[in-house]
Amino acid sequence: MDPVGVADAGPGPAWQSKCPWGAPNTTSISCSLADVMSEQLAKELQLEEENAAFPEVVAVAEGPFITGENIDTSSDLMLAQMLQMEFDREYDAQLRREEKKINGDSKVSISFENYRKVHPYDSDSSEDEVDWQDTRHDPYRADKPTTTPRKGFIGKGKDITTKHDEVVCGRKNTARMENFAPEFQVGDGIGMDLKLSNQVFNALKQHAYSEERRSARLHEKKEHSTAEKAVDPKTRLLLYKMVNAGMLETITGCISTGKESVVFHAYGGKSATEDKVIPPECAIKVFKTTLNEFKNRDKYIKDDYRFKDRFSKLNPRKIIRMWAEKEMHNLTRMQNAGIPCPQVVILKKHVLVMSFIGQDQIPAPKLKDVTLSSEDMKKAYYQILDMMQQLYKECNLVHADLSEYNMLWHDGKVWLIDVSQSVEPTHPHGLEFLFRDCRNVSQFFQKGGVTEALNERELFNAVSGLNITADNEVDFQAEIEALEKMNEDHVQNHGKKLSMFSSDGDPPIYDE
């Protein structure tokens, strides 16, 4: 049966009127040819379709479309949009003129891309402007990495680009700045489209490396050095351990500073062993871990047979510990001989704890700072003469830095301090150091009014027992050098000298 015939067969059952195979009941609207060709009617029909598809736009555009020939000025919103777009275009044109004026022929160019109102997106935009905001990767890298040909250039004719292209190199240099240290602020060079020349980039790179090395040196100095009147974290940890262990009750503060060490005052605590007695007041001598002061003082330790085998310039920090150990050994020898000097309590790495020469946190004055009567001055001279003889003959040592700066006046007598540089007379320069000590002592007491004070040559013979006869100081020193040379040859031919002080009874050395 023809479905069209069924639809046209008059009234029937209800299912027949809803049959999908039936033809729809359409009523034809008659119109004239003039209406079909009317442009106004076509626009109205199009507007009705748009209003039906986009009902929310009806309130915005109620009239016909605006064309160049027929502009509807009844809509204020449309006029405002047109005026705003024209203003944005004029503003962008002004920015382009300013950008061209600022850049000129400069090697480093800037862009006002981020400040523009209308970003270029069609073919009308300038070719030298790129919209980086639409990219999600590095703007200075191609989407597909291409290998650089061996010939060193790509393209042909006018489009040829070499590896030395100014724009390409400038952008690559700007991107490389991100590899600098975080402390070196480079700014947003990529966002500003900077193009750095090789000369500018190399200068910035060198400056960044210099700043990084300087920062590393400052960090090293802060973390591993003992500054004046301050200690580094490692030394502070050693002091904390002494206090926590009960060896020291409290550390009050700094009492003396020098080229080699810093001295602190502390109150003594209780010892872990019964045979060890800690003084009520202690002096903590912290050898500075800065290496500048020890570079020119290796002659005092590298030729000392006690430390000769352990000396090495390749590890300077061990030299500082050897200085502290050397002073401990020398003080122990002096204490066993009965020479007034600080008593060693304990040695930990480069921290030496001794008894305090003074009272109530007030250190004993140096001999150069105290005013003595003529009797006390004479008494001090003979005491020093006796101590120098004991130091040379009984302790087998030469102070090597004896002067009024390293002698304290306490309880009516002289005390010797700072013996870290002391050496034995068999040292290649031991007699020279002894002659220098005799000169310092003689000059000080002769100026102090001690008429009985011997000159340096007489004092040298009195201390050493060497009867060197010379009319002048030059010949005297020449004979001293000859004796040192003979002693050095003897040591080299018969091996190093064995010390008569094989057992010093030194306190224990802790190296935690």
Side-chain angles (χ1 to χ4, degrees), residues 223 225-226 230-248 251 264 284 286 289 321 348-351 353 512:
E223 294 295 330
S225 64
T226 302
V231 293
D232 59 307
K234 292 183 178 180
T235 306
R236 192 179 298 114
L237 181 60
L238 291 176
L239 299 179
Y240 285 162
K241 287 183 178 180
M242 294 181 185
V243 175
N244 293 335
M247 183 179 302
L248 300 177
I251 300 175
F264 297 90
I284 305 174
V286 180
T289 54
R321 296 188 184 181
K348 285 192 176 182
K349 295 184 179 181
H350 60 286
V351 178
V353 182
E512 297 179 356

Side-chain angles (χ1 to χ4, degrees), residues 381 441-451 453-456:
Y381 172 75
V441 172
S442 297
Q443 291 179 357
F444 174 75
F445 283 100
Q446 286 177 357
K447 292 180 180 179
V450 180
T451 57
L454 303 175
N455 57 36
E456 57 267 21

